[in-house]
Coordinates of all heavy atoms in Angstrom, one line a residue:
V2 N 52.6 -135.5 -52.9 CA 52.2 -136.0 -51.7 C 51.5 -137.3 -51.9 O 50.7 -137.4 -52.9 CB 51.3 -135.0 -50.9 CG1 50.8 -135.6 -49.6 CG2 52.0 -133.7 -50.7
T3 N 51.7 -138.3 -51.1 CA 51.2 -139.7 -51.3 C 50.3 -140.0 -50.1 O 50.6 -139.7 -48.9 CB 52.3 -140.7 -51.4 OG1 53.1 -140.3 -52.5 CG2 51.8 -142.1 -51.6
F4 N 49.2 -140.8 -50.4 CA 48.2 -141.3 -49.4 C 48.3 -142.8 -49.5 O 48.4 -143.3 -50.6 CB 46.9 -140.8 -49.9 CG 45.7 -141.2 -49.1 CD1 45.2 -140.4 -48.0 CD2 45.0 -142.3 -49.4 CE1 44.1 -140.8 -47.3 CE2 43.8 -142.7 -48.7 CZ 43.4 -141.9 -47.6
Q5 N 48.4 -143.5 -48.4 CA 48.4 -145.0 -48.4 C 47.1 -145.5 -47.9 O 46.8 -145.2 -46.7 CB 49.6 -145.5 -47.6 CG 49.7 -147.0 -47.7 CD 50.9 -147.6 -47.0 OE1 51.7 -146.9 -46.3 NE2 51.1 -148.9 -47.2
M6 N 46.5 -146.4 -48.7 CA 45.3 -147.1 -48.2 C 45.8 -148.4 -47.5 O 46.7 -149.0 -48.1 CB 44.4 -147.5 -49.3 CG 43.5 -146.3 -49.7 SD 42.1 -146.9 -50.7 CE 42.9 -147.4 -52.2
R7 N 45.2 -148.7 -46.4 CA 45.7 -149.9 -45.6 C 44.4 -150.6 -45.1 O 43.4 -150.0 -44.7 CB 46.5 -149.5 -44.4 CG 47.8 -148.8 -44.9 CD 48.7 -148.5 -43.8 NE 49.2 -149.8 -43.2 CZ 49.9 -150.0 -42.1 NH1 50.3 -148.9 -41.5 NH2 50.2 -151.1 -41.7
Q8 N 44.6 -152.0 -45.2 CA 43.6 -152.8 -44.5 C 42.1 -152.6 -45.1 O 41.2 -152.6 -44.3 CB 43.6 -152.7 -43.0 CG 44.9 -152.9 -42.4 CD 45.5 -154.2 -42.6 OE1 44.8 -155.2 -42.5 NE2 46.8 -154.3 -42.8
V9 N 42.0 -152.5 -46.4 CA 40.7 -152.4 -47.0 C 40.2 -153.8 -47.4 O 40.9 -154.5 -48.1 CB 40.8 -151.5 -48.3 CG1 39.4 -151.4 -49.0 CG2 41.3 -150.1 -47.9
A10 N 39.0 -154.1 -46.9 CA 38.5 -155.4 -47.2 C 37.0 -155.4 -47.1 O 36.4 -154.6 -46.2 CB 39.0 -156.5 -46.3
V11 N 36.3 -156.2 -47.9 CA 34.8 -156.3 -47.8 C 34.5 -157.8 -47.5 O 35.1 -158.7 -48.2 CB 34.2 -155.8 -49.1 CG1 32.7 -156.1 -49.1 CG2 34.5 -154.4 -49.3
D12 N 33.7 -158.0 -46.5 CA 33.3 -159.4 -46.2 C 32.8 -160.1 -47.5 O 32.1 -159.5 -48.3 CB 32.1 -159.3 -45.2 CG 31.7 -160.7 -44.7 OD1 31.0 -161.4 -45.4 OD2 32.1 -161.1 -43.6
E13 N 33.2 -161.4 -47.6 CA 32.8 -162.2 -48.8 C 31.3 -162.1 -49.1 O 30.9 -162.1 -50.2 CB 33.3 -163.6 -48.7 CG 34.8 -163.8 -48.8 CD 35.2 -165.2 -48.6 OE1 34.3 -166.1 -48.6 OE2 36.4 -165.5 -48.5
N14 N 30.5 -162.1 -48.1 CA 29.0 -162.1 -48.2 C 28.5 -160.8 -48.9 O 27.4 -160.7 -49.3 CB 28.3 -162.3 -46.9 CG 28.6 -163.6 -46.3 OD1 28.6 -164.6 -47.0 ND2 28.9 -163.7 -45.0
Y15 N 29.4 -159.7 -48.9 CA 28.9 -158.4 -49.4 C 29.7 -158.0 -50.7 O 29.5 -157.0 -51.2 CB 29.1 -157.4 -48.3 CG 28.1 -157.6 -47.2 CD1 28.5 -158.3 -46.0 CD2 26.8 -157.3 -47.3 CE1 27.6 -158.5 -45.0 CE2 25.9 -157.5 -46.3 CZ 26.3 -158.2 -45.1 OH 25.5 -158.4 -44.1
Q16 N 30.7 -158.9 -51.1 CA 31.4 -158.6 -52.3 C 30.5 -158.6 -53.5 O 29.5 -159.3 -53.5 CB 32.6 -159.5 -52.5 CG 33.7 -159.3 -51.4 CD 34.8 -160.3 -51.5 OE1 34.9 -161.1 -52.4 NE2 35.7 -160.2 -50.5
G17 N 30.9 -157.8 -54.5 CA 30.1 -157.7 -55.7 C 28.9 -156.8 -55.6 O 28.1 -156.7 -56.5
K18 N 28.8 -156.0 -54.5 CA 27.7 -155.0 -54.3 C 28.2 -153.6 -54.4 O 27.5 -152.7 -53.9 CB 27.0 -155.3 -53.0 CG 26.4 -156.7 -52.9 CD 25.8 -157.0 -51.6 CE 25.3 -158.4 -51.4 NZ 24.3 -158.9 -52.3
Q19 N 29.4 -153.4 -55.0 CA 30.0 -152.0 -55.1 C 30.4 -151.4 -53.8 O 30.7 -150.2 -53.8 CB 29.0 -151.1 -55.9 CG 28.6 -151.6 -57.3 CD 29.8 -151.7 -58.2 OE1 30.6 -150.7 -58.3 NE2 30.1 -152.8 -58.8
I20 N 30.5 -152.1 -52.7 CA 30.9 -151.6 -51.5 C 32.4 -151.2 -51.5 O 32.8 -150.1 -51.2 CB 30.6 -152.5 -50.3 CG1 29.1 -152.7 -50.1 CG2 31.3 -152.0 -49.0 CD1 28.7 -153.8 -49.2
G21 N 33.2 -152.1 -52.0 CA 34.7 -151.9 -52.1 C 35.0 -150.7 -53.1 O 35.8 -149.8 -52.8
T22 N 34.3 -150.7 -54.2 CA 34.4 -149.6 -55.1 C 34.1 -148.3 -54.5 O 34.8 -147.3 -54.7 CB 33.6 -149.9 -56.4 OG1 34.0 -151.1 -57.0 CG2 33.7 -148.7 -57.4
T23 N 33.0 -148.2 -53.7 CA 32.6 -147.0 -53.1 C 33.6 -146.5 -52.1 O 33.9 -145.4 -52.0 CB 31.2 -147.2 -52.4 OG1 30.2 -147.6 -53.4 CG2 30.7 -146.0 -51.7
I24 N 34.2 -147.5 -51.3 CA 35.2 -147.1 -50.3 C 36.4 -146.5 -51.0 O 36.9 -145.5 -50.6 CB 35.6 -148.4 -49.5 CG1 34.5 -148.8 -48.6 CG2 36.9 -148.1 -48.7 CD1 34.7 -150.2 -47.9
V25 N 36.9 -147.2 -52.1 CA 38.0 -146.7 -52.8 C 37.8 -145.3 -53.5 O 38.6 -144.4 -53.4 CB 38.5 -147.7 -53.9 CG1 39.6 -147.1 -54.7 CG2 39.0 -149.0 -53.2
K26 N 36.6 -145.2 -54.1 CA 36.3 -143.9 -54.8 C 36.2 -142.8 -53.7 O 36.7 -141.7 -54.0 CB 35.0 -144.0 -55.6 CG 35.1 -144.9 -56.8 CD 36.0 -144.3 -57.8 CE 36.0 -145.2 -59.1 NZ 37.0 -144.7 -60.1
H27 N 35.6 -143.1 -52.6 CA 35.5 -142.0 -51.5 C 36.9 -141.7 -51.1 O 37.2 -140.5 -50.8 CB 34.7 -142.5 -50.4 CG 34.5 -141.5 -49.3 ND1 33.7 -140.4 -49.4 CD2 35.1 -141.5 -48.1 CE1 33.8 -139.7 -48.3 NE2 34.7 -140.3 -47.5
S28 N 37.8 -142.7 -50.9 CA 39.2 -142.4 -50.5 C 39.9 -141.5 -51.5 O 40.6 -140.6 -51.1 CB 39.9 -143.7 -50.3 OG 39.4 -144.5 -49.3
E29 N 39.7 -141.8 -52.8 CA 40.3 -141.0 -53.8 C 39.8 -139.6 -53.8 O 40.5 -138.6 -53.9 CB 40.0 -141.6 -55.2 CG 40.7 -142.9 -55.4 CD 40.4 -143.6 -56.7 OE1 39.5 -143.1 -57.5 OE2 40.9 -144.7 -56.9
E30 N 38.4 -139.4 -53.6 CA 37.9 -138.0 -53.5 C 38.4 -137.3 -52.3 O 38.7 -136.1 -52.4 CB 36.3 -138.1 -53.5 CG 35.7 -138.6 -54.8 CD 34.2 -139.0 -54.6 OE1 33.6 -138.7 -53.5 OE2 33.7 -139.5 -55.6
F31 N 38.5 -138.0 -51.2 CA 39.1 -137.3 -50.0 C 40.5 -136.9 -50.3 O 40.9 -135.8 -49.9 CB 39.0 -138.3 -48.8 CG 39.7 -137.8 -47.6 CD1 39.0 -137.0 -46.7 CD2 41.0 -138.2 -47.3 CE1 39.7 -136.5 -45.6 CE2 41.7 -137.7 -46.2 CZ 41.0 -136.8 -45.3
A32 N 41.3 -137.8 -50.9 CA 42.7 -137.5 -51.2 C 42.8 -136.3 -52.1 O 43.6 -135.4 -51.8 CB 43.4 -138.7 -51.8
I33 N 42.1 -136.3 -53.2 CA 42.1 -135.2 -54.1 C 41.8 -133.9 -53.4 O 42.4 -132.8 -53.6 CB 41.2 -135.4 -55.3 CG1 41.8 -136.6 -56.2 CG2 41.0 -134.2 -56.1 CD1 40.9 -137.1 -57.3
S34 N 40.7 -133.9 -52.6 CA 40.3 -132.7 -51.9 C 41.3 -132.2 -50.9 O 41.2 -131.0 -50.5 CB 38.9 -132.9 -51.3 OG 39.0 -133.7 -50.1
N35 N 42.2 -133.0 -50.6 CA 43.3 -132.6 -49.6 C 44.7 -132.5 -50.3 O 45.7 -132.5 -49.6 CB 43.3 -133.6 -48.5 CG 42.2 -133.4 -47.5 OD1 42.2 -132.5 -46.7 ND2 41.1 -134.2 -47.7
G36 N 44.7 -132.4 -51.6 CA 45.9 -132.1 -52.3 C 46.8 -133.3 -52.5 O 48.0 -133.1 -52.9
I37 N 46.3 -134.5 -52.3 CA 47.1 -135.7 -52.5 C 47.2 -136.0 -54.0 O 46.2 -135.9 -54.7 CB 46.5 -136.9 -51.7 CG1 46.3 -136.6 -50.3 CG2 47.3 -138.2 -51.9 CD1 47.5 -136.2 -49.5
Q38 N 48.4 -136.4 -54.4 CA 48.6 -136.6 -55.9 C 48.7 -138.1 -56.2 O 48.6 -138.4 -57.4 CB 49.9 -135.9 -56.3 CG 49.8 -134.4 -56.1 CD 51.2 -133.8 -56.1 OE1 52.2 -134.4 -56.1 NE2 51.2 -132.5 -56.2
K39 N 48.9 -139.0 -55.2 CA 49.0 -140.4 -55.5 C 48.6 -141.2 -54.4 O 48.8 -140.9 -53.2 CB 50.5 -140.7 -55.8 CG 50.8 -142.1 -56.1 CD 52.2 -142.3 -56.6 CE 53.3 -142.1 -55.6 NZ 54.6 -142.5 -56.0
I40 N 47.9 -142.4 -54.7 CA 47.6 -143.3 -53.7 C 48.4 -144.6 -53.9 O 48.5 -145.0 -55.0 CB 46.1 -143.7 -53.7 CG1 45.2 -142.5 -53.3 CG2 45.7 -144.9 -52.8 CD1 43.7 -142.7 -53.3
I41 N 48.9 -145.2 -52.8 CA 49.6 -146.4 -52.9 C 48.9 -147.4 -52.0 O 48.2 -147.0 -51.0 CB 51.1 -146.3 -52.5 CG1 51.3 -145.8 -51.1 CG2 51.9 -145.4 -53.5 CD1 52.7 -145.9 -50.6
L42 N 49.1 -148.7 -52.3 CA 48.6 -149.7 -51.4 C 49.3 -151.0 -51.6 O 50.0 -151.2 -52.6 CB 47.1 -149.9 -51.7 CG 46.6 -150.2 -53.1 CD1 46.5 -151.7 -53.3 CD2 45.3 -149.5 -53.4
H43 N 49.1 -152.0 -50.7 CA 49.6 -153.3 -50.8 C 48.3 -154.2 -51.1 O 47.5 -154.4 -50.2 CB 50.3 -153.8 -49.6 CG 51.5 -153.1 -49.3 ND1 52.3 -153.3 -48.1 CD2 52.2 -152.1 -50.0 CE1 53.3 -152.5 -48.1 NE2 53.3 -151.8 -49.2
A44 N 48.2 -154.8 -52.3 CA 47.0 -155.5 -52.6 C 47.3 -157.0 -52.6 O 48.4 -157.5 -53.1 CB 46.5 -155.2 -54.0
R45 N 46.5 -157.8 -51.9 CA 46.6 -159.2 -52.0 C 46.4 -159.7 -53.4 O 45.7 -159.0 -54.2 CB 45.5 -159.9 -51.1 CG 45.8 -159.7 -49.6 CD 44.7 -160.5 -48.8 NE 43.4 -159.9 -49.1 CZ 42.3 -160.7 -49.1 NH1 42.3 -161.9 -48.7 NH2 41.1 -160.1 -49.4
E46 N 47.1 -160.8 -53.8 CA 47.0 -161.3 -55.2 C 45.6 -161.4 -55.7 O 45.3 -161.0 -56.8 CB 47.7 -162.7 -55.2 CG 47.7 -163.3 -56.6 CD 48.6 -162.7 -57.6 OE1 49.7 -162.2 -57.2 OE2 48.2 -162.6 -58.8
V47 N 44.7 -161.8 -54.8 CA 43.3 -162.0 -55.3 C 42.6 -160.7 -55.5 O 41.6 -160.6 -56.2 CB 42.5 -162.9 -54.3 CG1 43.0 -164.3 -54.2 CG2 42.4 -162.2 -52.9
A48 N 43.1 -159.6 -54.9 CA 42.5 -158.3 -55.1 C 43.0 -157.5 -56.2 O 42.5 -156.4 -56.6 CB 42.6 -157.5 -53.8
V49 N 44.1 -157.9 -56.8 CA 44.8 -157.2 -57.9 C 43.8 -156.9 -59.1 O 43.7 -155.7 -59.5 CB 46.0 -157.9 -58.4 CG1 46.5 -157.3 -59.7 CG2 47.1 -157.9 -57.3
P50 N 43.0 -157.8 -59.6 CA 42.1 -157.5 -60.6 C 41.1 -156.3 -60.3 O 40.8 -155.5 -61.1 CB 41.3 -158.8 -60.9 CG 42.3 -159.8 -60.5 CD 43.0 -159.2 -59.3
F51 N 40.6 -156.3 -59.0 CA 39.7 -155.3 -58.5 C 40.4 -153.9 -58.7 O 39.8 -153.0 -59.2 CB 39.4 -155.6 -57.1 CG 38.7 -154.4 -56.4 CD1 37.3 -154.2 -56.6 CD2 39.4 -153.6 -55.5 CE1 36.7 -153.1 -56.0 CE2 38.8 -152.5 -54.9 CZ 37.4 -152.3 -55.1
Y52 N 41.6 -153.8 -58.2 CA 42.3 -152.5 -58.3 C 42.7 -152.1 -59.7 O 42.7 -151.0 -60.1 CB 43.6 -152.5 -57.3 CG 43.2 -152.4 -55.9 CD1 43.3 -153.5 -55.0 CD2 42.6 -151.3 -55.4 CE1 42.9 -153.5 -53.7 CE2 42.2 -151.2 -54.0 CZ 42.4 -152.3 -53.2 OH 42.0 -152.2 -51.9
L53 N 43.1 -153.1 -60.5 CA 43.4 -152.8 -61.9 C 42.2 -152.2 -62.6 O 42.3 -151.3 -63.4 CB 43.9 -154.1 -62.6 CG 45.3 -154.6 -62.3 CD1 45.5 -156.0 -62.9 CD2 46.4 -153.7 -62.6
N54 N 41.0 -152.8 -62.3 CA 39.8 -152.3 -62.9 C 39.5 -150.8 -62.5 O 38.8 -150.1 -63.2 CB 38.6 -153.2 -62.5 CG 37.4 -152.8 -63.2 OD1 37.3 -152.7 -64.4 ND2 36.3 -152.7 -62.4
L55 N 40.0 -150.4 -61.3 CA 39.8 -149.0 -60.8 C 41.0 -148.1 -61.2 O 41.0 -146.9 -60.8 CB 39.7 -149.0 -59.3 CG 38.4 -149.7 -58.8 CD1 38.4 -149.8 -57.3 CD2 37.2 -148.9 -59.3
G56 N 41.9 -148.6 -62.1 CA 42.9 -147.7 -62.6 C 44.3 -147.8 -61.9 O 45.2 -147.0 -62.2
Y57 N 44.4 -148.7 -60.9 CA 45.7 -148.8 -60.2 C 46.6 -149.7 -61.1 O 46.2 -150.5 -61.9 CB 45.5 -149.5 -58.9 CG 44.8 -148.5 -57.9 CD1 43.4 -148.3 -58.0 CD2 45.5 -147.8 -56.9 CE1 42.8 -147.4 -57.1 CE2 44.9 -146.9 -56.1 CZ 43.5 -146.7 -56.2 OH 42.9 -145.8 -55.4
K58 N 47.9 -149.5 -60.8 CA 49.0 -150.2 -61.6 C 49.9 -150.9 -60.6 O 50.2 -150.4 -59.5 CB 49.8 -149.2 -62.4 CG 49.0 -148.5 -63.5 CD 49.9 -147.6 -64.3 CE 49.0 -146.9 -65.3 NZ 49.7 -145.9 -66.1
K59 N 50.3 -152.1 -61.0 CA 51.2 -152.9 -60.2 C 52.6 -152.2 -60.3 O 53.0 -151.8 -61.4 CB 51.3 -154.3 -60.6 CG 50.1 -155.1 -60.3 CD 50.4 -156.6 -60.4 CE 50.3 -157.1 -61.9 NZ 50.4 -158.6 -61.9
I60 N 53.3 -152.1 -59.2 CA 54.6 -151.6 -59.1 C 55.6 -152.6 -58.5 O 55.3 -153.2 -57.5 CB 54.7 -150.3 -58.2 CG1 53.6 -149.3 -58.6 CG2 56.1 -149.7 -58.1 CD1 53.8 -148.7 -60.0
G61 N 56.7 -152.9 -59.2 CA 57.7 -153.8 -58.7 C 57.3 -155.2 -58.8 O 56.4 -155.6 -59.6
E62 N 57.9 -156.0 -57.9 CA 57.7 -157.5 -57.9 C 56.7 -157.9 -56.8 O 56.6 -157.2 -55.8 CB 59.0 -158.2 -57.7 CG 60.0 -157.9 -58.8 CD 59.6 -158.4 -60.1 OE1 59.1 -159.5 -60.2 OE2 59.9 -157.7 -61.1
Q63 N 56.1 -159.0 -56.9 CA 55.3 -159.6 -55.9 C 56.1 -159.8 -54.6 O 57.3 -160.2 -54.7 CB 54.7 -160.9 -56.4 CG 53.6 -161.5 -55.5 CD 53.1 -162.8 -56.0 OE1 53.9 -163.8 -56.0 NE2 51.9 -162.9 -56.3
F64 N 55.5 -159.7 -53.5 CA 56.1 -159.9 -52.2 C 55.1 -160.6 -51.2 O 54.0 -160.6 -51.5 CB 56.7 -158.6 -51.6 CG 55.6 -157.6 -51.3 CD1 55.1 -157.5 -50.1 CD2 55.2 -156.7 -52.3 CE1 54.1 -156.5 -49.8 CE2 54.2 -155.8 -52.1 CZ 53.7 -155.7 -50.8
V65 N 55.7 -161.1 -50.2 CA 54.8 -161.8 -49.2 C 54.7 -160.9 -47.9 O 55.7 -160.4 -47.4 CB 55.4 -163.1 -48.7 CG1 54.6 -163.8 -47.6 CG2 55.5 -164.1 -49.9
E66 N 53.4 -160.7 -47.6 CA 53.1 -159.9 -46.4 C 52.0 -160.6 -45.6 O 51.1 -161.2 -46.2 CB 52.6 -158.5 -46.8 CG 52.4 -157.5 -45.7 CD 52.1 -156.1 -46.2 OE1 51.0 -155.9 -46.7 OE2 53.0 -155.3 -46.1
I67 N 52.2 -160.7 -44.3 CA 51.3 -161.5 -43.5 C 51.0 -162.9 -44.0 O 50.0 -163.5 -43.9 CB 50.0 -160.8 -43.1 CG1 49.1 -160.5 -44.3 CG2 50.2 -159.5 -42.3 CD1 47.7 -160.1 -44.0
G68 N 52.1 -163.5 -44.6 CA 52.0 -164.9 -45.1 C 51.3 -165.0 -46.5 O 51.0 -166.1 -46.9
L69 N 50.9 -163.9 -47.1 CA 50.1 -164.0 -48.4 C 50.8 -163.2 -49.4 O 51.4 -162.1 -49.2 CB 48.7 -163.4 -48.2 CG 47.8 -164.1 -47.1 CD1 46.6 -163.2 -46.8 CD2 47.4 -165.4 -47.6
P70 N 50.7 -163.6 -50.7 CA 51.3 -162.8 -51.8 C 50.6 -161.5 -52.0 O 49.3 -161.4 -52.0 CB 51.1 -163.7 -53.0 CG 50.1 -164.7 -52.7 CD 50.1 -164.8 -51.2
H71 N 51.4 -160.4 -52.2 CA 50.9 -159.1 -52.3 C 51.6 -158.4 -53.5 O 52.7 -158.8 -53.9 CB 51.1 -158.2 -51.1 CG 50.1 -158.5 -50.0 ND1 50.1 -159.6 -49.2 CD2 49.2 -157.7 -49.5 CE1 49.2 -159.5 -48.3 NE2 48.6 -158.3 -48.5
W72 N 51.0 -157.3 -54.0 CA 51.6 -156.4 -54.9 C 51.5 -155.0 -54.4 O 50.5 -154.6 -53.9 CB 50.9 -156.5 -56.3 CG 51.2 -157.8 -57.1 CD1 50.5 -158.9 -57.0 CD2 52.2 -158.0 -58.0 NE1 51.0 -159.8 -57.8 CE2 52.1 -159.3 -58.4 CE3 53.3 -157.2 -58.5 CZ2 52.9 -159.9 -59.4 CZ3 54.1 -157.8 -59.4 CH2 53.9 -159.1 -59.9
M73 N 52.6 -154.2 -54.6 CA 52.5 -152.8 -54.4 C 51.7 -152.2 -55.6 O 52.0 -152.6 -56.8 CB 53.9 -152.1 -54.3 CG 53.9 -150.6 -54.4 SD 53.3 -149.9 -52.8 CE 54.8 -149.8 -51.9
M74 N 50.8 -151.4 -55.4 CA 50.0 -150.8 -56.5 C 49.9 -149.3 -56.2 O 50.0 -148.8 -55.1 CB 48.6 -151.4 -56.6 CG 48.7 -152.9 -56.9 SD 47.1 -153.6 -57.2 CE 46.9 -153.1 -59.0
E75 N 49.7 -148.5 -57.3 CA 49.6 -147.1 -57.1 C 48.6 -146.5 -58.2 O 48.4 -147.1 -59.2 CB 50.9 -146.3 -57.2 CG 51.5 -146.3 -58.6 CD 52.7 -145.4 -58.7 OE1 53.4 -145.2 -57.7 OE2 53.0 -145.0 -59.9
K76 N 48.1 -145.3 -57.9 CA 47.3 -144.6 -58.8 C 47.6 -143.1 -58.7 O 47.5 -142.6 -57.5 CB 45.8 -144.9 -58.6 CG 44.9 -144.1 -59.6 CD 43.4 -144.5 -59.3 CE 42.5 -143.9 -60.4 NZ 41.1 -144.3 -60.1
R77 N 47.9 -142.5 -59.7 CA 48.1 -141.0 -59.7 C 46.8 -140.4 -59.9 O 45.9 -140.7 -60.7 CB 49.0 -140.6 -60.8 CG 50.4 -141.3 -60.7 CD 51.5 -140.5 -61.4 NE 52.8 -141.2 -61.1 CZ 53.6 -140.9 -60.1 NH1 53.2 -139.9 -59.2 NH2 54.7 -141.5 -59.9
L78 N 46.5 -139.4 -59.0 CA 45.2 -138.7 -59.0 C 45.3 -137.4 -59.7 O 46.3 -136.7 -59.7 CB 44.8 -138.5 -57.5 CG 44.8 -139.7 -56.7 CD1 44.5 -139.3 -55.2 CD2 43.7 -140.7 -57.2
E79 N 44.2 -137.0 -60.3 CA 44.1 -135.7 -61.0 C 43.0 -134.9 -60.3 O 41.9 -135.4 -60.0 CB 43.7 -135.9 -62.4 CG 44.7 -136.7 -63.2 CD 44.3 -136.9 -64.6 OE1 43.4 -136.2 -65.1 OE2 44.8 -137.8 -65.3
N80 N 43.3 -133.6 -60.1 CA 42.3 -132.7 -59.6 C 41.3 -132.4 -60.8 O 41.7 -132.0 -61.8 CB 42.9 -131.4 -59.1 CG 43.5 -131.6 -57.7 OD1 43.0 -132.3 -56.9 ND2 44.5 -130.9 -57.4
N81 N 40.0 -132.6 -60.5 CA 39.0 -132.3 -61.6 C 38.5 -130.9 -61.4 O 38.3 -130.4 -60.4 CB 37.9 -133.4 -61.5 CG 38.5 -134.8 -61.8 OD1 39.4 -134.9 -62.6 ND2 37.9 -135.8 -61.3

């Protein structure tokens, strides 16, 4: 079963304060507690390093969405 994160963003004034990481980690915990095995998302090019740092992997080729370069990314979840 797959969970898709959509439209995740943190205002530039609040970036670097662990808000985005907290949102993603909470989403992962929610997914795991509901039997989800994988999270997928479309990451803007500038957000790819953030997601790579959290264990996500790029899938396929870069594509354009809403006029901006994006990558499909995924992370397989493990029940702890």
